[in-house]
């Protein structure tokens, strides 16, 4: 059983809030796991061999930290006859505001994935689910959703996926271990450390934001072995996602002049003894979204059973 989890760990407290969607992919019963912390758990059983993709290549490590492995993006995923589950994952802090136009922009018209996971934070008191359903209506259906105050998570499946779903249930677990496949997404609130705002912005303006990765608190803590040991993340090629002036793609011009930071992240961990491999075919920020002080982050993760031909 894998798990797609959203967490708000404020100040490094990773057990504070957790909403999880667990996906069981039809492997032997010995492959399984539950999640730790206060969990709302939604499980979906799939016949993985019925789902399609190609271009699967092993994860190629670019930079290795004690806790997090930073990996290169692999070739784009396409549907063929291999056994694979393609998942599009989006995290976005909405900053308490609702823009129908921006919500519809979150998903491109090219929706070649089996599952779509939205993890939203600081969601306003309005029907985001309805807007998402209307946006996805032609290609995907809402399988389940969970809400915890201003945190919301939605799981959409391709319309053709209904015949592959064997079980759909909602459950809660107070304690437990991690799944084989675990994805953490959300506003993790890590900042840049050891650089002031003006030098950081200059590097970003010159498209040299890669120079800032060594100052990222999340990677620094991972190097110490404090967090996310064994997890993977795509290379941070996009600009820091926080803090922007609302309505623009300009960084904070308030009196605080905050240092831009990669607060919004998607991390994943694969237990290869589970019989699965994973390929990350995209990891990006959506600069066109401007109704919040955060930019959404999107990843495309493909899962494949060992031994299947590409």
């Amino acid at each position: 059983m894998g798990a797609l989890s959203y967490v708000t760990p404020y100040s490094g407290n990773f057990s504070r809030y957790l909403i999880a969607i667990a996906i069981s992919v039809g492997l032997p019963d010995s492959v399984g796991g539950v999640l730790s912390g206060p969990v709302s758990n939604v499980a979906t059983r799939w016949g993985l061999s019925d789902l399609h993709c190609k271009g699967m290549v092993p994860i190629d490590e670019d930079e290795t930290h004690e806790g997090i492995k930073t990996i290169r993006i692999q070739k784009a995923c396409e549907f063929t006859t291999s056994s694979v589950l393609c998942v599009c994952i989006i995290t976005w802090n909405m900053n308490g505001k609702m823009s129908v136009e921006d919500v519809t922009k979150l998903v491109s018209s090219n929706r070649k994935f089996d599952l779509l996971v939205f993890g939203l934070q600081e969601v306003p008191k309005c029907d985001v689910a309805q807007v998402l359903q209307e946006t996805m209506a032609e290609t995907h259906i809402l399988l389940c959703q969970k809400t915890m105050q201003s945190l919301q998570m939605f799981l959409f499946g391709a319309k053709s996926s209904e015949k592959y779903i064997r079980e759909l249930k909602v459950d809660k677990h107070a304690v437990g271990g991690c799944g084989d496949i675990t994805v953490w997404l959300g506003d993790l609130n890590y900042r840049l450390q050891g650089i002031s705002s003006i030098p950081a912005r200059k590097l970003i303006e010159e498209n040299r934001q890669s120079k800032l990765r060594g100052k990222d608190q999340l990677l620094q803590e991972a190097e110490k072995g404090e967090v996310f040991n064994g997890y993977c993340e795509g290379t941070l090629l996009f600009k820091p996602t926080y803090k922007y002036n609302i309505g623009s793609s300009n960084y904070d011009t308030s009196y605080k002049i905050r240092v831009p930071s990669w607060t919004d992240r998607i991390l994943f961990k694969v237990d290869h003894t589970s019989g699965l491999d994973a390929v990350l075919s995209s990891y990006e920020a959506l600069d066109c979204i401007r109704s919040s002080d955060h930019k959404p982050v999107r990843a495309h993760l493909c899962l494949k059973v060992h031994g299947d031909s590409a």
Side-chain angles (χ1 to χ4, degrees):
M1 180 181 292
L4 298 168
S5 311
Y6 163 66
V7 65
T8 54
Y10 302 110
S11 304
N13 178 4
F14 288 97
S15 62
R16 187 168 181 179
Y17 300 114
L18 179 63
I19 298 178
I21 294 177
I23 304 166
S24 176
V25 293
L27 294 175
D29 291 339
S30 59
V31 179
V34 291
L35 299 171
S36 59
V39 173
S40 298
N41 188 38
V42 184
T44 308
R45 292 194 63 83
W46 293 77
L48 187 60
S49 60
D50 297 320
L51 302 172
H52 312 298
C53 189
K54 78 172 183 179
M56 303 298 297
V57 290
I59 290 175
D60 186 13
E61 295 179 14
D62 184 12
E63 305 168 43
T64 300
H65 305 276
E66 181 67 25
I68 295 175
K69 297 175 183 177
T70 304
I71 61 172
R72 297 186 183 98
I73 307 301
Q74 305 296 341
K75 65 177 70 175
C77 182
E78 299 176 4
F79 290 106
T80 60
T81 57
S82 296
S83 300
V84 95
L85 183 71
C86 297
V87 187
C88 180
I89 305 160
I90 297 174
T91 178
W92 186 32
N93 184 320
M94 299 181 70
N95 192 34
K97 299 176 177 63
M98 174 66 168
S99 165
V100 174
E101 180 182 2
D102 277 356
V103 171
T104 57
K105 286 180 183 177
L106 285 175
V107 183
S108 66
S109 58
N110 182 20
R111 300 172 187 166
K112 292 187 176 180
F113 43 78
D114 302 299
L115 295 179
L116 173 66
V117 177
F118 283 100
L120 303 176
Q121 308 95 52
E122 296 190 28
V123 179
K125 293 182 178 179
C126 55
D127 197 349
V128 177
Q130 181 179 348
V131 177
L132 288 174
Q133 285 181 282
E134 292 174 354
T135 301
M136 302 293 296
E138 292 184 5
T139 58
H140 289 69
I141 58 172
L142 181 63
L143 299 178
C144 58
Q145 68 182 84
K146 292 300 296 182
T147 299
M148 185 185 296
Q149 297 180 356
S150 66
L151 309 181
Q152 294 187 18
M153 178 169 276
F154 303 91
L155 175 65
F156 284 85
K159 280 190 170 180
S160 60
S161 67
E162 287 183 285
K163 58 186 176 182
Y164 302 125
I165 298 175
R166 300 171 187 168
E167 183 180 3
L168 182 63
K169 64 181 180 180
V170 177
D171 200 359
K172 295 182 180 180
H173 298 282
V175 294
C178 290
D180 331 289
I181 303 164
T182 308
V183 180
W184 288 74
L185 57 145
D187 174 8
L188 302 185
N189 210 24
Y190 286 96
R191 307 301 176 90
L192 295 184
Q193 185 168 276
I195 188 170
S196 58
S197 188
I198 300 304
R201 294 179 189 214
K202 182 173 177 59
L203 288 173
I204 297 168
E205 289 170 3
E206 296 171 352
N207 200 28
R208 295 195 295 152
Q209 57 264 20
S210 62
K211 301 291 184 182
L212 299 173
R213 293 202 294 258
K215 300 184 182 299
D216 177 69
Q217 288 180 333
L218 176 54
L219 296 182
Q220 289 176 353
E221 290 299 303
E223 287 174 347
K224 300 174 186 176
E226 297 291 335
V227 293
F228 293 114
N229 188 38
Y231 279 77
C232 297
E233 182 183 26
T235 306
L236 292 169
L237 299 177
F238 51 86
K239 297 189 296 183
T241 56
Y242 177 83
K243 176 181 168 92
Y244 286 86
N245 289 335
I246 294 173
S248 77
S249 287
N250 299 320
Y251 285 113
D252 179 32
T253 56
S254 72
Y255 72 95
K256 292 185 178 180
I257 317 179
R258 293 173 178 85
V259 180
S261 300
W262 287 290
T263 59
D264 309 277
R265 311 289 276 269
I266 300 173
L267 310 170
F268 67 96
K269 183 176 184 178
V270 178
D271 178 0
H272 292 287
T273 64
S274 66
L276 293 178
D277 280 326
V279 165
L280 185 66
S281 60
S282 71
Y283 190 42
E284 59 188 341
L286 303 181
D287 190 65
C288 61
I289 305 297
R290 299 184 175 183
S291 57
S292 172
D293 53 1
H294 290 254
K295 299 296 182 183
V297 172
R298 178 171 61 196
H300 192 157
L301 186 65
C302 294
L303 311 177
K304 180 183 179 183
V305 177
H306 285 318
D308 285 349
S309 58

